[in-house]
Amino acid sequence: MTKNDDSAYQLREFIYLDDESINGHLSSLGVGLQTSRTKTAEDENESESHFSATIPTPWTNIGGGGRHRSTDREGTEQQIDITVPYRFQELLRQIDGISEIKDPDIEDVERGDVIEISGTVKPMSLFRLELAAGAINTLTEESKKAGEVITDDNSGEENVSEEEIDASEAFIEMSENVIGNRVPVRLDTDRGHSYATVLKRNYLRVPTKHAFAQAREYTLFGRVEEKIERGKKWHPVDMMRLTGEFAHDAEEGIDDFNKGLQEAAKGMDVILQEEDLTLMGPANVIYPIGLFW
C-alpha cells in the first residue's frame, strides 16, 4: 500500500513519537537534519506626492502639476522551528518517493518493511499492572486530599485496603526495575490479527495513564522487527525473552513468572488473561516510530 498525498497529509494526535528514530531514518535516506527554516515575507508601502509649478511669461503664467507615486518593498524573515511531527511528515514523504508503506493485515511483510496498522491497543504484562497500581495510588491520594474515606456501601469497609496500597506500590517499583524504560503494548485488528510493540517511556507525548487506561484504537507506524511463527510465543518483558535465549528451563521459568503475575493481579482486583502475558504466533513485533489517532 503506497501512501499518496491525500492520505499522508492528515490530522494526527501523537501518543508516541520516536525523535531519534525519525532523525536516523531521514539521515539514512540522505535528508539532512533540519531544525528550523526561514519564511520570508515582503511588504509593499506605496507613497504619493503632489507637485505643481508656475512659469511666468509676458502674456500669462503657465502652470502645471501632477502626482508622483513610489513603492518601497520591505522584506522580513521569520525563523520557524521544525518540530518532530513535521519531520515525521517529511519521513512519510521521503518513503513514499522510494518505497511503499504496507498494511500487514492484508499484505505479506518481512523484517524491515515499513508498516502502518490500526487497531485496539492495550498494555501487556507488568505494564498493565503498573497502570492499575498507579490508579489505586491516585485514588487513595485524592481521597486523602479531600479528607474523605471511600467506603463500600454494602460492607462499610474501605474499598482500598492497606494491603492493596502496599501491593500497588510494590508493583510500581517492580515494574520500574524489570521493564524500565520500555513498556509493552499489543494491537489487535478487526481482521483478528495481533501485533506487539515496545514503547520507550521518554518518547511518550502523553501520560501513560491517559493513553492506556482503557483499550483504545490507535494507528501504529513503524517497521517489522520480528516475525513470530505459528505456535511460537513472544514474551513482552525484555528480561524474560533474554532468559529464554540462555536458560535451559526458560519456558518453565517464564510460565512461573506469568502465574505469579496473575496471582498478584488478583490481589489488586485486576484480571490478566493469557493474551495480556504473551503474543502467540503467527504475529509480528513492530519497532515503533509513531503511535497516533
Side-chain angles (χ1 to χ4, degrees):
M1 178 180 65
T2 301
K3 291 289 179 185
N4 55 37
D5 291 340
D6 291 337
S7 61
Y9 289 94
Q10 56 180 289
L11 291 176
R12 298 182 180 92
E13 191 69 34
F14 286 99
I15 303 300
Y16 177 91
L17 206 50
D18 189 333
D19 191 357
E20 185 177 352
S21 179
I22 292 172
N23 293 341
H25 282 92
L26 283 173
S27 297
S28 67
L29 294 174
V31 181
L33 177 58
Q34 187 180 13
T35 59
S36 65
R37 65 186 178 90
T38 302
K39 180 180 180 181
T40 303
E42 192 174 75
D43 296 327
E44 290 189 355
N45 297 315
E46 187 177 85
S47 62
E48 182 179 284
S49 61
H50 297 265
F51 63 89
S52 63
T54 303
I55 302 176
T57 69
W59 304 278
T60 185
N61 291 333
I62 300 175
R67 294 183 300 175
H68 175 72
R69 291 184 177 180
S70 64
T71 302
D72 294 328
R73 290 180 170 84
E74 182 179 353
T76 58
E77 292 185 350
Q78 180 182 10
Q79 288 294 118
I80 301 176
D81 291 335
I82 303 299
T83 62
V84 182
Y86 186 95
R87 295 201 296 274
F88 176 82
Q89 184 61 56
E90 177 62 19
L91 177 61
L92 290 183
R93 192 179 71 82
Q94 293 292 333
I95 292 175
D96 189 46
I98 60 173
S99 183
E100 63 177 353
I101 300 173
K102 294 184 176 181
D103 181 350
D105 240 20
I106 57 177
E107 299 176 86
D108 291 332
V109 293
E110 299 297 331
R111 187 174 189 271
D113 284 348
V114 180
I115 65 93
E116 184 175 296
I117 187 70
S118 297
T120 302
V121 174
K122 61 180 182 178
M124 297 184 72
S125 191
L126 266 175
F127 183 43
R128 184 174 176 84
L129 290 183
E130 178 187 320
L131 292 175
I136 292 174
N137 284 355
T138 300
L139 179 64
T140 305
E141 290 173 4
E142 291 302 317
S143 66
K144 287 180 179 178
K145 288 180 182 179
E148 299 174 354
V149 177
I150 301 175
T151 60
D152 188 318
D153 293 338
N154 296 324
S155 64
E157 298 178 353
E158 291 186 2
N159 283 337
V160 183
S161 66
E162 289 296 330
E163 290 78 9
E164 288 175 319
I165 295 173
D166 291 342
S168 67
E169 292 176 349
F171 263 105
I172 292 175
E173 182 176 353
M174 178 184 178
S175 181
E176 291 174 351
N177 291 334
V178 175
I179 65 177
N181 188 47
R182 290 163 52 83
V183 296
V185 299
R186 66 179 290 144
L187 182 150
D188 298 300
T189 69
D190 293 338
R191 292 176 176 267
H193 298 157
S194 298
Y195 306 83
T197 190
V198 181
L199 307 173
K200 300 173 185 176
R201 293 182 195 265
N202 53 308
Y203 290 127
L204 285 163
R205 300 171 70 87
V206 299
T208 54
K209 62 182 179 182
H210 295 156
F212 307 111
Q214 59 185 1
R216 292 177 178 170
E217 184 164 324
Y218 292 126
T219 297
L220 174 64
F221 178 86
R223 300 180 65 190
V224 178
E225 183 175 13
E226 184 179 353
K227 294 176 66 67
I228 310 301
E229 298 178 1
R230 185 178 298 277
K232 298 291 185 179
K233 291 182 179 180
W234 179 86
H235 197 281
V237 177
D238 292 341
M239 186 182 297
M240 293 296 104
R241 291 200 305 278
L242 184 62
T243 301
E245 291 292 326
F246 299 102
H248 295 293
D249 56 349
E251 201 64 40
E252 182 180 349
I254 291 175
D255 287 341
D256 290 342
F257 178 81
N258 286 340
K259 289 177 182 178
L261 288 182
Q262 289 176 316
E263 287 300 318
K266 291 179 181 179
M268 299 168 59
D269 201 23
V270 176
I271 298 176
L272 279 182
Q273 299 177 342
E274 184 64 27
E275 65 179 22
D276 298 319
L277 299 170
T278 57
L279 181 69
M280 181 66 71
N284 292 300
V285 179
I286 308 300
Y287 181 89
I289 298 175
L291 185 70
F292 54 87
W293 59 270

